[in-house]
């Protein structure tokens, strides 16, 4: 009888133990642990990125007073404006030209630092990263003083060679050149540090084998370095393209979109229309036009990266 009476208690005690062991097993799984660790970041992205993105989509479908639904009316209005297509052209020229020069300069400087003895690389890395570490607004103010029409340090230096004065921010072509120059100066160190890290991972045996086969300096770069760095180059280029397209502070501080809207890009023109022009829905429509352009670039770049990953 005593044994019969104790049986139910034994079964009941075993159930919590099983539940606890099942929970421990779930927590020990790598996928569950990884999800729980990234959950705060997912929530933060949802609050700071996804919600504003969907809210801007909602704003783009409203009229200027934000009280009536107009559908694609704002986009139709933009497509009929010559200034909008000027901004599209300037944004593409600005982003593509700046990213190409940043990638080229970053690649050259990364090779320069990579060939320096190890004990001197830290000093060079620190000095070359200074433009990227300084807040863009502060560094752009310094460039604005350098481009000042009356007291430009550049024009003062060029005057010794009988050149100038150059209207750095007063002429459309020179203003475009100026904003691209500042963006390249600010962003090239990012490419440099990414390419330098990628160069460190290229096996020296590959260079030795290429040298034995008689490859010169350029052939070693073309057939060894670039193929080994292609994924890093593609990802870095995509990231920089997104950031450059969305750039605001450099153009806003340096030229404010002038002269005559010839340096406006998506971000600055959206600010001009949405904030200064008090037409928030139309400004949201301008900023949303970046999405399809960047989506197409991301699809092509990431598809190429994925293709090379599958081949490897």
């Amino acid at each position: 009888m005593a044994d019969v009476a104790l049986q139910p208690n034994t079964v009941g005690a075993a159930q919590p133990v099983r539940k606890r062991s099942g929970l421990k097993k779930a927590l020990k799984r790598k996928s569950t642990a990884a999800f729980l660790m990234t959950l705060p970041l997912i929530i933060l992205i949802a609050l700071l990125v996804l919600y504003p993105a969907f809210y801007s989509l909602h704003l783009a479908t409203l009229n200027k007073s934000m009280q009536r639904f107009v559908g694609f009316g704002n986009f139709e209005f933009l497509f009929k404006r010559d200034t909008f297509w000027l901004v599209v052209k300037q944004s593409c020229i600005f982003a593509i030209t700046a990213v190409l020069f940043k990638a080229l300069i970053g690649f050259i400087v990364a090779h320069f630092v990579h060939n320096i003895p190890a004990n001197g690389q830290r000093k060079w890395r620190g000095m070359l990263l200074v433009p990227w570490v300084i807040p863009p607004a502060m560094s752009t103010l310094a460039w604005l003083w350098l481009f000042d029409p009356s007291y430009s340090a550049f024009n003062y230096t060029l005057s010794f060679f009988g050149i100038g004065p150059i209207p750095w921010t007063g002429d459309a072509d020179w203003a475009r050149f100026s904003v691209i120059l500042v963006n390249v100066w600010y962003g090239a160190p990012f490419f440099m540090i990414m390419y330098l890290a990628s160069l460190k991972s290229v096996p020296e045996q590959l260079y030795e084998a290429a040298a034995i086969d008689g490859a010169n300096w350029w052939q070693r770069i073309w057939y060894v370095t670039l193929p080994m760095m292609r994924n890093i180059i593609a990802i870095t280029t995509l990231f920089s393209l997104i950031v450059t397209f969305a750039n605001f502070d450099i153009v806003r501080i340096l030229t404010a979109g002038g002269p005559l809207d010839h340096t406006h890009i998506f971000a600055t023109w959206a600010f001009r229309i949405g904030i200064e022009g008090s037409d928030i829905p139309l400004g949201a429509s301008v900023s949303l036009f970046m999405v399809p352009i960047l989506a197409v670039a991301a699809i092509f770049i990431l598809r190429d990266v994925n293709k090379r990953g599958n081949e490897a």
Side-chain angles (χ1 to χ4, degrees):
M1 292 292 292
D3 294 338
V4 175
L6 290 172
Q7 272 185 344
N9 295 333
T10 306
V11 175
Q15 289 178 350
V17 174
R18 289 176 184 172
K19 290 181 180 179
R20 286 196 297 269
S21 63
L23 181 60
K24 288 181 180 179
K25 287 181 180 179
L27 291 174
K28 286 182 179 179
R29 292 176 187 168
K30 291 183 178 180
S31 59
T32 306
F35 174 75
L36 292 175
M37 292 177 68
T38 57
L39 186 60
L41 180 60
I42 293 172
I43 295 173
L44 186 64
I45 291 175
L47 291 175
L48 299 181
V49 178
L50 294 180
Y51 172 74
F54 284 107
Y55 186 63
S56 62
L57 282 171
H58 169 68
L59 285 176
T61 60
L62 303 177
N63 65 342
K64 185 174 181 179
S65 61
M66 295 188 289
Q67 295 178 349
R68 184 168 56 88
F69 179 79
V70 295
F72 293 102
N74 288 322
F75 294 99
E76 293 175 0
F77 175 74
L78 287 174
F79 293 161
K80 296 175 182 178
R81 295 189 64 178
D82 293 335
T83 307
F84 172 74
W85 295 111
L86 178 63
V87 170
V88 173
K89 183 183 76 172
Q90 289 169 176
S91 299
C92 293
I93 293 173
F94 170 71
I96 294 172
T97 306
V99 170
L100 285 176
F101 277 101
K102 284 186 284 188
L104 180 62
I105 295 172
F107 188 81
I108 295 171
V109 176
H111 271 79
F112 167 75
V113 177
H114 181 66
N115 293 322
I116 294 175
N119 55 358
Q121 284 191 16
R122 182 178 299 178
K123 175 183 68 176
W124 280 99
R125 286 199 304 265
M127 289 190 298
L128 292 170
L129 274 176
V130 168
W132 189 59
V133 173
I134 298 175
M138 292 180 59
S139 58
T140 307
L141 281 174
W143 280 96
L144 181 62
W145 295 330
L146 291 173
F147 291 140
D148 186 88
S150 302
Y151 307 100
S152 171
F154 290 150
N155 285 341
Y156 178 75
T157 304
L158 291 173
S159 64
F160 290 103
F161 302 94
I163 303 173
I166 295 175
W168 296 103
T169 58
D171 178 75
D173 294 329
W174 281 110
R176 292 193 190 104
F177 171 80
S178 300
V179 295
I180 292 173
L181 174 65
V182 176
N183 189 272
V184 170
W185 177 84
Y186 173 73
F190 171 73
F191 279 81
M192 182 270 295
I193 202 67
M194 294 295 290
Y195 291 168
L196 183 61
S198 181
L199 283 170
K200 298 290 185 183
S201 64
V202 178
E204 287 293 332
Q205 293 84 350
L206 296 178
Y207 292 112
E208 294 172 1
I212 292 172
D213 291 338
N216 56 29
W217 174 81
W218 170 249
Q219 289 172 330
R220 288 197 295 270
I221 290 179
W222 186 259
Y223 293 106
V224 178
T225 306
L226 287 177
M228 296 296 294
M229 293 178 59
R230 281 178 66 182
N231 282 351
I232 293 296
I233 291 173
I235 297 298
T236 308
T237 301
L238 175 61
F239 179 79
S240 180
L241 192 65
I242 294 171
V243 173
T244 307
F245 253 108
N247 187 268
F248 173 79
D249 38 18
I250 291 176
V251 177
R252 177 65 184 175
I253 295 173
L254 209 58
T255 64
L260 300 174
D261 297 330
H262 278 81
T263 56
H264 264 310
I265 56 178
F266 285 120
T268 56
W269 201 53
F271 180 82
R272 171 69 62 83
I273 293 175
I275 305 300
E276 296 181 340
S278 302
D279 195 341
I280 300 296
L282 194 62
S285 302
V286 173
S287 61
L288 285 173
F289 198 79
M290 288 188 290
V291 176
I293 297 175
L294 295 176
V296 171
I299 288 171
F300 278 101
I301 293 174
L302 294 178
R303 187 176 64 177
D304 189 43
V305 171
N306 187 49
K307 180 182 177 181
R308 288 197 296 270
N310 293 333
E311 291 175 353

